[in-house]
Amino acid sequence: MARAPLHLLLAALCVVSFAGAGANAAGRKMVGVYELSKGDFSVKVTNWGATVTSVVFPDSKGNLGDVVLGYDTIAEYVNGSSYFGALVGRVANRVANARFVLDGKVHHLYTNDGKNALHGGRRGFSKVIWTVKEYVSGGDTPHITLYYHSFDGEQGFPGNLDVYVTYELSSPYVLSVRMNATALDKATPVNLAQHTYWNLGGQGSGDVLGNTIQLFASRYTPVDSTLIPTGQLAPVAGTPYDLRAPTAVGAHIHQVSGGSTVYGYDMNYAVDGDEHALRKVAAVRDGASGRGLELWADQPGVQFYTGNFLKDIKGKGGKVNEQYGALCLETQGFPDAVNHPDFPSQIVRPGQAAYKHDMVFKFSF
């Protein structure tokens, strides 16, 4: 059956609010933008794709700036293909040949990255309307909780799945992200990732090649030409992927392949330490603004991506985003784990422990 374009569906189904919605919006199935604020620190989220649309905090001179890439309108998020700020799933990153076997049954997914499935398929969690379950805009712990029910067979994945994410300003200049998912009737893979593009100098301010990055990861998962892991877990020592000490993002960027046609980082790192414990993952600093970001999370891996495929994308305020205009730090399970039994499992079963994924972003200036 033919389907209407997504932007027409949006116009027909959604009421869009750009100023934010009040606490009485809880439970409504509209698309809106919801602001969380704590002093001069604010975050905006839309329930289209559970997407972070802005993060504003001061630089070292006290000037406020928005440090995430995005768009001016919800319609642009609907039609965009860069996953700006989105929560991606049911399985983030790539699944080789868009297929996997679970409990003896072959499951075929929708292809949307060559012959592979990427970020949940053509219409993953970043391309659906989430339900606002709770929204508190200010006070001690401003937060918003969003819910999505993923149906059995959605994009080829088995089983009904209930998914929640909470964004909370848990302390001054701290953004906490809590994700969980419960399998209701069938075993299924789950791997959620938060896909915000960060430019600490301010969105649209130029490239991030001069930022310093430190990853607390001694190993990485090498990939083939289509960015599918080979199954190997290799040491970063002696390679351009060694970012254990603070390093300029651009220092070795032309020594790493970000796909068949571009240079840049697009690699999963195995984070050091207990893979189920909240631990430091990464630290980023922009020298010009003095802004810093520290990321903590409780997942086995983190995808470090340097915006290799950004090109002529009109962003907020008419600013144009180009290659290396931001970086992503997507904590996650290892890519294509469903086809690599030696990787940490992403299978969630009904009646057993739910999927859980916590992230903490600590900002400084």
Side-chain angles (χ1 to χ4, degrees):
M1 181 176 69
R3 294 186 177 181
L6 280 172
H7 68 279
L8 295 181
L9 290 174
L10 177 73
L13 296 175
C14 304
V15 176
V16 179
S17 165
F18 293 98
N24 61 358
R28 294 181 186 176
K29 194 78 169 186
M30 301 188 302
V31 170
V33 177
Y34 302 85
E35 183 170 13
L36 311 175
S37 61
K38 199 176 184 71
D40 56 5
F41 176 43
S42 68
V43 174
K44 290 182 181 178
V45 175
T46 174
N47 59 318
W48 176 262
T51 298
V52 173
T53 63
S54 78
V55 174
V56 174
F57 68 101
D59 65 11
S60 59
K61 297 179 180 178
N63 300 311
L64 295 178
D66 184 356
V67 298
V68 305
L69 269 54
Y71 303 108
D72 285 328
T73 67
I74 298 297
E76 290 171 291
Y77 283 97
V78 171
N79 295 314
S81 59
S82 297
Y83 303 97
F84 282 166
L87 191 146
V88 296
R90 182 177 300 195
V91 172
N93 218 300
R94 292 169 177 85
V95 177
N97 300 308
R99 71 181 295 278
F100 63 94
V101 178
L102 177 58
D103 296 338
K105 182 177 180 179
V106 179
H107 296 276
H108 296 278
L109 311 176
Y110 283 96
T111 58
N112 63 330
D113 184 57
K115 63 182 181 179
N116 305 318
L118 174 66
H119 292 333
R122 296 176 189 173
R123 191 170 180 266
F125 293 176
S126 61
K127 292 293 185 182
V128 298
I129 302 171
W130 293 59
T131 299
V132 179
K133 301 298 285 186
E134 188 175 10
Y135 171 51
V136 176
S137 62
D140 292 337
T141 54
H143 64 275
I144 185 168
T145 297
L146 304 170
Y147 162 76
Y148 180 65
H149 175 78
S150 180
F151 58 86
D152 183 17
E154 185 173 16
Q155 298 297 296
F157 291 100
N160 288 286
L161 188 75
D162 280 345
V163 188
Y164 291 85
V165 59
T166 296
Y167 295 101
E168 179 178 293
L169 308 191
S170 52
S171 299
Y173 310 110
V174 176
L175 169 63
S176 297
V177 184
R178 298 189 298 275
M179 298 166 254
N180 65 76
T182 302
L184 301 181
D185 47 18
K186 295 180 182 177
T188 183
V190 180
N191 183 27
L192 308 180
Q194 217 298 320
H195 207 296
T196 292
Y197 286 70
W198 302 97
N199 184 326
L200 295 179
Q203 66 89 22
S205 64
D207 66 54
V208 296
L209 299 179
N211 284 189
T212 58
I213 176 81
Q214 183 178 16
L215 294 179
F216 297 87
S218 304
R219 298 174 298 168
Y220 71 110
T221 53
V223 295
D224 64 18
S225 61
T226 66
L227 301 179
I228 295 293
T230 62
Q232 182 185 10
L233 198 56
V236 298
T239 78
Y241 296 103
D242 190 351
L243 302 173
R244 290 175 294 175
T247 305
V249 171
H252 308 294
I253 202 163
H254 294 295
Q255 300 175 44
V256 294
S257 173
S260 57
T261 60
V262 297
Y263 291 105
Y265 292 91
D266 194 359
M267 182 60 66
N268 173 66
Y269 286 76
V271 182
D272 293 340
D274 180 351
E275 67 186 41
H276 301 297
L278 190 70
R279 62 210 187 280
K280 189 184 291 189
V281 174
V284 183
R285 181 157 295 277
D286 174 59
S289 68
R291 292 192 185 97
L293 176 161
E294 196 175 272
L295 171 59
W296 293 62
D298 61 358
Q299 294 298 291
V302 59
Q303 190 83 9
F304 175 45
Y305 174 57
T306 47
N308 311 328
F309 291 101
L310 295 178
K311 183 179 180 181
D312 300 332
I313 299 177
K314 183 182 176 182
K316 289 178 277 191
K319 294 182 178 179
V320 178
N321 298 302
E322 302 288 2
Q323 188 179 46
Y324 312 135
L327 58 85
C328 300
L329 294 164
E330 309 157 55
T331 52
Q332 61 182 3
F334 291 176
D336 198 34
V338 288
N339 291 310
H340 293 280
D342 291 338
F343 285 178
S345 175
Q346 297 170 3
I347 305 304
V348 179
R349 297 183 181 276
Q352 297 185 14
Y355 170 89
K356 176 178 171 291
H357 181 175
D358 291 346
M359 307 175 74
V360 179
F361 296 92
K362 301 178 181 181
F363 303 100
S364 59
F365 50 93

